[in-house]
Amino acid sequence: MTDWTRRQIGGLIGGALLAVAAPHIVRGQGRAKIVVIGGGIGGATVARYLGDMKSIDVTLVEPNSNHVTCFFSNLYLAGLRSLASLTFGLETLAEGYGITIIRDSAVAIDPVGRAVELRGGTKLSYDRLVVAPGVAFKFGEIEGYDEAAAKIMPHAWIAGPQSELLRRQLESMEDGGVFVIAAPPNPFRCPPAPYERASLVACYFKQFKPRSKILILDAKDKFSGQELFQDAWSRHYPGMIEWLPSQFTGAIKAVDVAARSVVTEGETFRAAVANIIPAQKAGLIGEKAGLIDASGWCPVDPVTFESTLQPGIHVVGDSIIGGDMPKSAFSANSQAKACAFAIAASLTGSPQFPPHLFNSCYTFLAPDDAFTNALTFAPEGGRIKTVKMFISKVGESAEVRRRTAHHAVGWYSAFTADVFGGGS
Amino acid sequence: MTTPIPRVMVPGSVRKNEVFTVKAIIQHQMETGLRTDSAGKTIPRKIINQFVCRYGGLEVFRTDLHEAVSANPFLEFQLLATENGRLEFSWREDGGATYSLFHDILVT
């Protein structure tokens, strides 16, 4: 579908909703108040799409003034992209879409009184609340790995200062060192990303520190895109990347920050640079607001993305139990649009149609070798199920892969413009 | 194609007459010979076809591997600690190349 067509359809739907909304507003007490907690991909998308509707008043609560995208941040780690090129301000959302942005964090939610309390003391009342807190880390699961340890052995799983720290460490590492990546158990943000990271850091090592090695200590026995990655590692970085499944190491038990080593059941591995990606759970506000079930994630209705635990509160993005949808930025964006339309439909009394949900991702194996996937999803029996899928194959020609890498760059600019406004 | 990387995990020391676990893995694509490349040409078979472990020069474990075995073949087996000695591991690849490691075990 071309950009033109998509905008045309968006305009038509927006128009139709407005037409229905107008009489309601004349009768009602004014504009519906929507509060969105979290200005990442999911939160920014909900705010942007509801902000487009003039009958709705949108407030976005986000402590940071900028968002640095996790996707493409492995290119930054490899020295192939600047962090500035991955950084987006929220001002276009404020100026272009009339969204009120409050730089603060939510500390409490009152689902009965329909109010959010912010760290700064402000209380915001809402008609509908959207929570998009992303992921938090289960710091206790690897002994010795906490927030302080992350300043020495970075996770770099939330892009920004952590990415900069890891990049500095890789740059100052001596040639011949071992870069250890501890890959997390499922489910976690962006399933192929630890392995994309290994690929792109290998690309950096190959050029600047060719005697160095990469050791992946995995909490799993298999991983997303494994065949594609292993094929690429043997073609581009022979002998450089070693992947050890959990069944071999007995999984990671602890880290020794002072020795910069990673302790598994069977052996202790010394690292020149260690990247510890911990197990994950829904972002912390989800826990405080009672949105999380025993799995550590937020169960939602797959049509409206309303919490099944707290009516009136919607949750989108990495923190939800997304069924077949992976925890990815594109999934968050797709869920956020479905959520925005569900909220608009409910406020205007329009019928609710089942959403079309998508994921589209690009993963770099080398600067001119990328693979892609494209999936469609639909709600079925209370959960989100895959409808159709495409994924790149092993054995594609270098030309196909080069084109895919080129498409990825276009995908990035179109996608971030959709989320944060402005741009192309 | 692949540059195989062998690795083993064995305890440094074991008590005499105790059973201990050996884990062995090799990074290897295990190309089956049944696939074609983007030009339609068959990619020749290249698998690890045999793994052998010797303890103090004596063969104590051997297995043949075939096309159906996954990439990065992982093996786990038990040995009885009898005396101090060298454990030798070798993986044999189609075409005759072998990849080897050794580990000296202390029996107390």
Side-chain angles (χ1 to χ4, degrees):
Chain A
M1 193 187 278
T2 65
D3 216 23
W4 180 84
T5 316
R6 200 160 54 211
R7 279 175 196 190
Q8 190 79 349
I9 288 171
L12 287 172
I13 292 169
L17 286 170
L18 274 180
V20 182
H24 171 79
I25 280 148
V26 173
R27 284 197 308 272
Q29 71 278 46
R31 298 167 82 200
K33 273 196 279 189
I34 308 291
V35 173
V36 180
I37 298 174
I41 301 301
T45 304
V46 171
R48 185 231 152 122
Y49 277 80
L50 287 175
D52 253 355
M53 298 170 189
K54 303 302 173 213
S55 55
I56 295 175
D57 180 56
V58 181
T59 301
L60 176 63
V61 179
E62 166 59 45
N64 300 309
S65 54
N66 292 315
H67 180 82
V68 185
T69 64
C70 281
F71 48 103
F72 272 40
S73 68
N74 286 327
L75 290 168
Y76 162 75
L77 291 178
L80 297 166
R81 211 149 160 154
S82 71
L83 207 60
S85 77
L86 310 179
T87 304
F88 296 84
L90 299 174
E91 56 278 356
T92 311
L93 292 180
E95 290 154 16
Y97 301 89
I99 295 159
T100 306
I101 292 170
I102 300 181
R103 275 192 64 187
D104 205 339
S105 322
V107 289
I109 294 168
D110 171 8
V112 179
R114 301 207 163 201
V116 178
E117 191 183 329
L118 307 184
R119 192 175 304 280
T122 312
K123 276 203 172 145
L124 300 170
S125 63
Y126 63 82
D127 294 309
R128 289 276 173 152
L129 177 66
V130 182
V131 182
V135 295
F137 300 114
K138 292 181 174 174
F139 274 120
E141 294 212 342
I142 296 174
E143 196 191 321
Y145 196 72
D146 53 18
E147 280 183 70
K151 296 203 161 64
I152 295 157
M153 298 169 131
H155 52 75
W157 219 243
I158 291 172
Q162 277 278 308
S163 322
E164 291 177 293
L165 176 61
L166 183 55
R167 173 66 188 163
R168 278 198 303 276
Q169 292 184 351
L170 291 168
E171 277 180 308
S172 59
M173 190 186 100
E174 280 182 31
D175 188 13
V178 178
F179 172 44
V180 173
I181 299 175
N186 289 326
F188 64 97
R189 165 176 284 174
C190 196
Y195 316 97
E196 182 195 56
R197 178 167 291 179
S199 310
L200 290 175
V201 171
C203 171
Y204 166 68
F205 283 169
K206 190 177 170 183
Q207 197 178 353
F208 296 100
K209 302 168 202 265
R211 294 188 297 112
S212 307
K213 302 275 184 218
I214 298 172
L215 178 63
I216 305 170
L217 301 176
D218 212 320
K220 305 176 290 302
D221 288 329
K222 57 183 181 186
F223 61 87
S224 172
Q226 185 161 356
E227 207 188 345
L228 288 155
F229 281 110
Q230 296 198 322
D231 166 68
W233 293 345
S234 65
R235 284 185 293 113
H236 297 299
Y237 322 109
M240 191 177 260
I241 302 173
E242 189 182 3
W243 171 78
L244 297 179
S246 166
Q247 60 183 357
F248 181 78
T249 61
I252 295 167
K253 301 293 173 202
V255 293
D256 182 338
V257 176
R260 226 172 250 203
S261 60
V262 180
V263 183
T264 69
E265 201 173 88
E267 198 174 327
T268 297
F269 296 89
R270 284 290 301 275
V273 175
N275 170 210
I276 310 296
I277 308 164
Q280 292 157 35
K281 59 181 181 178
L284 299 177
I285 189 69
E287 210 165 287
K288 286 184 192 154
L291 298 167
I292 291 174
D293 72 9
S295 71
W297 304 95
C298 305
V300 294
D301 178 296
V303 174
T304 60
F305 292 87
E306 187 169 356
S307 167
T308 57
L309 302 176
Q310 296 286 2
I313 304 181
H314 298 250
V315 191
V316 295
D318 289 348
S319 61
I320 70 163
I321 298 169
D324 290 349
M325 287 185 98
K327 298 192 184 301
S328 75
F330 205 96
S331 291
N333 170 265
S334 181
Q335 293 158 5
K337 288 172 180 170
C339 175
F341 285 116
I343 289 174
S346 134
L347 290 172
T348 56
S350 305
Q352 176 68 61
F353 295 99
H356 297 274
L357 298 162
F358 304 93
N359 183 52
S360 158
C361 285
Y362 288 85
T363 303
F364 283 89
L365 301 160
D368 58 355
D369 184 349
F371 73 83
T372 182
N373 67 33
L375 297 100
T376 62
F377 306 90
E380 195 193 310
R383 75 186 283 284
I384 301 172
K385 294 231 166 104
T386 304
V387 177
K388 283 183 181 158
M389 75 179 276
F390 167 83
I391 183 158
S392 302
K393 291 180 181 63
V394 169
E396 286 173 341
S397 70
E399 174 55 23
V400 166
R401 293 297 182 81
R402 197 191 57 73
R403 269 207 311 269
T404 305
H406 178 71
H407 291 162
V409 177
W411 169 92
Y412 184 88
S413 46
F415 180 50
T416 51
D418 180 56
V419 176
F420 296 105
S424 55
Chain B
M1 273 191 94
T2 339
T3 304
I5 309 170
R7 186 182 281 271
V8 294
M9 202 177 278
V10 190
S13 70
V14 197
R15 281 220 295 279
K16 195 171 168 69
N17 293 324
E18 226 173 56
V19 172
F20 64 97
T21 297
V22 176
K23 291 179 176 186
I25 191 168
I26 186 165
Q27 307 286 311
H28 197 284
Q29 208 149 338
M30 299 293 277
E31 189 60 59
T32 59
L34 304 172
R35 299 194 305 168
T36 51
D37 63 16
S38 57
K41 252 181 63 188
T42 303
I43 305 168
R45 189 185 104 151
K46 194 168 214 178
I47 65 169
I48 295 292
N49 57 47
Q50 190 175 76
F51 170 83
V52 176
C53 173
R54 290 184 184 80
Y55 184 4
L58 203 73
E59 187 176 303
V60 288
F61 183 91
R62 173 205 291 261
T63 182
D64 289 336
L65 306 175
H66 302 278
E67 296 91 334
V69 175
S70 74
N72 310 327
F74 166 65
L75 297 163
E76 182 174 333
F77 53 95
Q78 271 82 37
L79 296 177
L80 181 72
T82 51
E83 56 193 11
N84 290 341
R86 176 160 289 189
L87 289 164
E88 296 168 87
F89 307 91
S90 79
W91 290 259
R92 190 180 72 193
E93 190 182 53
D94 285 351
T98 60
Y99 305 93
S100 304
L101 281 179
F102 67 84
H103 177 92
D104 291 322
I105 193 154
L106 186 70
V107 177
T108 57

